[in-house]
């Protein structure tokens, strides 16, 4: 175009103005869609929609409960799109999801989840245990998979609403609770390996009994140096579905050998996790001091809420903490020297799971299991239970629901 020509100059100016107006219109259009569809950064509890079940269901006999088999009447359901953001949260009857067979969550493990519990004490008060930590971890997992984050308080408040609706499903007995499973999946209908254009956050709950129905029962471990659960630079520190599926077959093989769980080892036989729990050893250090040892959060270990709680409570008691890299060779040597006091795993389901035996390189190492009155693991578990049921007011940990 010859810009010296007056008509051409007018034409260029007109085109520029047209483009500018189109851009403004597009931005206004996006703003309108954003307002209509949802919010960019988070959902809002105040926009909660309630579609409650008309069917009357009730909590079954507590003694019949099996983990993850019985589900409460309602679920929390929130949709997200990359263009529109978060839609309104909804509490709806528990039911199947409508999902395309091409949804990328089914093909590329674009899914993450959490595990937490609600507790009801003798007074009928309902508590959550450190839910902000679960929310933050879910955000870390979701964003690691190129899926959305959200506001922590909005998540906790929405969860409280669900628990109020299904409060009758929370067992009112010590040792029993309502297990909570928040999950985020990609709903994007696309077979390409790409960031999801849509996702769904849903929360289902199920009443559960004590992890050890017959008492505080120790487990045996198989130290696996062949199969690897997590590696440096991977997703071991995130609660994503891809971390768990591949562990099932090795677990079956360990069970066939007579062991309850796998003790996952890293390079040079470093101790990482046990099953789906964090691992602790209470040992006598070389200087004669008792030390509670666990692996550091180096990217291969999940930052467990129970793990963090055990460390905080132990430190408060004046116990020396050894959050460091250590190997199964070191543990085996300590066992031979009689310097292992006890060992246990920690997690949401069991809280604390004592260990009485570890097979390492085809040798069984017997781990002492102190009497319950002398056990650090048992003492810590009882203290955590008291906080979870609201018997002990621990600021920031016991969160009252109703």
């Amino acid at each position: 175009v010859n810009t010296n020509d007056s008509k051409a100059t007018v034409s260029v100016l007109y085109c520029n103005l047209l483009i500018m107006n189109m851009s403004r219109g597009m931005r206004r259009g996006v703003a309108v869609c954003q307002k209509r569809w949802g919010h960019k950064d988070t959902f809002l509890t105040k926009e909660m929609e309630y579609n409650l079940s008309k069917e009357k269901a009730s909590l079954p006999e507590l003694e019949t409960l099996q983990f993850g088999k019985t589900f409460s009447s309602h679920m929390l359901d929130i949709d997200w799109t990359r263009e529109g953001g978060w839609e309104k949260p909804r509490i709806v009857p528990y039911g199947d999801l409508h999902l395309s067979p091409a949804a990328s969550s089914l093909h590329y493990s674009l899914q993450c989840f959490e595990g937490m519990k609600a507790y009801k004490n003798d007074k009928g008060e309902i508590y959550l245990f450190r839910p902000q930590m679960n929310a933050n971890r879910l955000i870390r997992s979701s964003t690691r998979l190129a899926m959305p984050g959200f506001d922590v308080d909005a998540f906790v408040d929405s969860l409280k609403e669900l628990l109020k609706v299904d409060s009758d499903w929370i067992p009112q007995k010590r040792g029993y609770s309502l297990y909570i499973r928040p999950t985020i999946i990609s709903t994007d209908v696309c077979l390409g390996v790409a960031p999801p254009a849509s996702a769904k956050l849903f929360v289902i709950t199920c009443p559960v009994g004590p992890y050890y129905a017959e008492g505080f029962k120790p487990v045996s471990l198989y130290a696996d140096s062949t199969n690897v659960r997590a590696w440096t630079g991977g997703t071991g520190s995130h609660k994503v579905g891809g971390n768990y599926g591949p562990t099932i077959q090795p677990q079956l093989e360990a069970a066939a050998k007579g062991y309850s769980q796998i003790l996952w080892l890293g390079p040079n036989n470093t101790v990482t996790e046990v099953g789906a729990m964090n691992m602790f050893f209470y040992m006598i250090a070389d200087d004669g001091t008792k030390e509670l040892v666990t692996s550091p959060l180096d990217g291969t270990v999940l930052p467990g809420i129970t793990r963090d709680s055990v460390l905080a409570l132990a430190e408060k008691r004046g116990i020396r903490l050894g959050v460091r890299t250590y190997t199964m060779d070191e543990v085996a040597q300590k066992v031979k020297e009689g310097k292992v006091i006890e060992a246990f795993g920690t997690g949401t389901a069991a809280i604390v799971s004592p260990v009485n035996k570890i097979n390492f390189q085809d040798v069984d190492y017997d781990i002492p299991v102190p009497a319950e009155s002398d056990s650090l693991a048992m003492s810590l578990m009882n203290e955590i239970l008291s906080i979870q049921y609201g018997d002990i007011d621990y600021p920031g940990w016991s969160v009252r629901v109703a």
Side-chain angles (χ1 to χ4, degrees):
V1 176
N2 181 7
T3 55
N4 292 324
D5 184 81
S6 59
K7 292 183 179 179
T9 302
V10 171
S11 297
V12 169
L13 290 172
Y14 176 77
C15 288
N16 286 339
L17 287 171
L18 182 62
I19 292 171
M20 289 173 62
N21 285 331
M22 288 175 65
S23 297
R24 292 192 188 101
M26 290 174 65
R27 287 197 295 270
R28 283 197 298 269
V30 169
V32 169
C33 290
Q34 186 74 45
K35 184 176 181 181
R36 187 185 68 205
W37 289 345
H39 305 276
K40 178 181 178 182
D41 297 323
T42 191
F43 46 88
L44 301 177
T45 309
K46 66 181 181 180
E47 295 181 349
M48 181 76 71
E49 295 180 345
Y50 298 84
N51 176 21
L52 303 187
S53 174
K54 296 177 182 178
E55 297 181 7
K56 183 65 176 177
S58 59
L59 184 66
E61 293 293 328
L62 297 185
E63 293 72 21
T64 66
L65 293 175
Q66 298 181 51
F67 183 84
K69 296 289 187 178
T70 303
F71 297 96
S72 58
S73 298
H74 297 90
M75 57 190 287
L76 179 65
D77 185 280
I78 317 172
D79 288 316
W80 171 89
T81 62
R82 192 166 296 278
E83 288 108 355
W86 286 103
E87 297 184 11
K88 294 178 180 180
R90 303 182 304 137
I91 293 177
V92 298
Y94 173 86
D96 296 341
L97 301 177
H98 179 74
L99 198 63
S100 167
S104 57
S105 57
L106 303 178
H107 300 270
Y108 308 119
S109 197
L110 289 170
Q111 51 186 254
C112 56
F113 64 97
E114 272 301 316
M116 51 199 301
K117 290 180 177 179
Y119 307 84
K120 185 184 289 185
N121 62 21
D122 293 338
K123 302 175 185 177
E125 299 168 339
I126 300 171
Y127 287 91
L128 288 165
F129 181 67
R130 309 188 74 181
Q132 291 86 357
M133 288 195 71
N134 291 98
N136 278 309
R137 192 170 64 182
L138 184 59
I139 291 170
R140 286 186 62 250
S141 299
S142 182
T143 54
R144 178 64 174 83
L145 300 178
M147 294 196 293
F150 47 81
D151 180 74
V152 169
D153 290 335
F155 172 82
V156 174
D157 289 342
S158 296
L159 180 56
K160 287 180 179 180
E161 291 303 303
L162 176 64
L163 295 176
K164 290 173 185 177
V165 168
D166 275 349
S167 60
D168 290 343
W169 282 91
I170 307 175
Q172 191 173 353
K173 186 176 180 180
R174 186 84 166 194
Y176 291 80
S177 57
L178 188 73
Y179 183 81
I180 303 167
R181 173 54 63 88
T183 306
I184 300 179
I185 61 171
S186 166
T187 56
D188 193 12
V189 182
C190 178
L191 292 181
V193 182
S198 61
K200 179 184 288 290
L201 188 163
F202 63 91
V203 181
I204 57 177
T205 65
C206 57
V208 295
Y211 192 80
Y212 300 107
E214 299 177 357
F216 204 50
K217 186 179 179 181
V219 298
S220 58
L221 308 181
Y222 178 77
D224 193 335
S225 56
T226 301
N227 298 289
V228 179
R229 176 196 166 272
W231 52 90
T232 302
T235 57
S237 62
H238 301 79
K239 207 166 179 65
V240 298
N243 288 347
Y244 294 83
T247 70
I248 296 174
Q249 181 58 37
Q251 171 60 42
L252 289 175
E253 295 170 3
K257 296 174 183 177
Y259 300 94
S260 305
Q261 295 283 352
I262 289 181
L263 180 62
W264 300 101
L265 303 181
N268 302 314
N269 296 324
T270 54
V271 177
T272 61
E273 294 192 2
V274 51
M277 298 182 288
N278 296 115
M279 187 69 205
F280 284 84
F281 286 92
Y282 194 31
M283 303 188 291
I284 299 175
D286 292 339
D287 63 1
T289 305
K290 294 179 180 178
E291 182 182 41
L292 185 61
V293 178
T294 194
S295 302
L297 301 180
D298 61 357
T300 66
V301 173
L302 187 73
I305 283 80
T306 310
R307 171 191 180 275
D308 185 83
S309 304
V310 162
L311 288 171
L313 295 175
E315 186 175 36
K316 191 176 179 181
R317 296 183 184 192
I319 296 173
R320 189 168 96 179
L321 304 180
V323 181
R324 59 179 175 82
T325 300
Y326 66 106
T327 67
M328 191 56 216
D329 302 271
E330 176 189 346
V331 171
Q333 184 61 35
K334 291 286 187 182
V335 171
K336 293 176 183 177
E337 296 172 357
K339 293 183 177 180
V340 173
I341 302 169
E342 62 181 309
F344 53 93
T346 63
T348 299
I351 304 178
V352 167
S353 181
V355 173
N356 63 358
K357 182 192 300 182
I358 303 175
N359 180 281
F360 174 56
Q361 297 179 344
D362 297 324
V363 177
D364 281 341
Y365 293 88
D366 291 325
I367 307 298
V369 179
E372 291 188 7
S373 58
D374 300 323
S375 168
L376 173 64
M378 189 66 180
S379 174
L380 289 169
M381 186 177 82
N382 286 332
E383 186 172 4
I384 290 174
L385 277 170
S386 294
I387 297 171
Q388 290 173 338
Y389 283 91
D391 299 333
I392 297 177
D393 183 19
Y394 203 100
W397 287 20
S398 301
V399 176
R400 179 82 176 270
V401 175

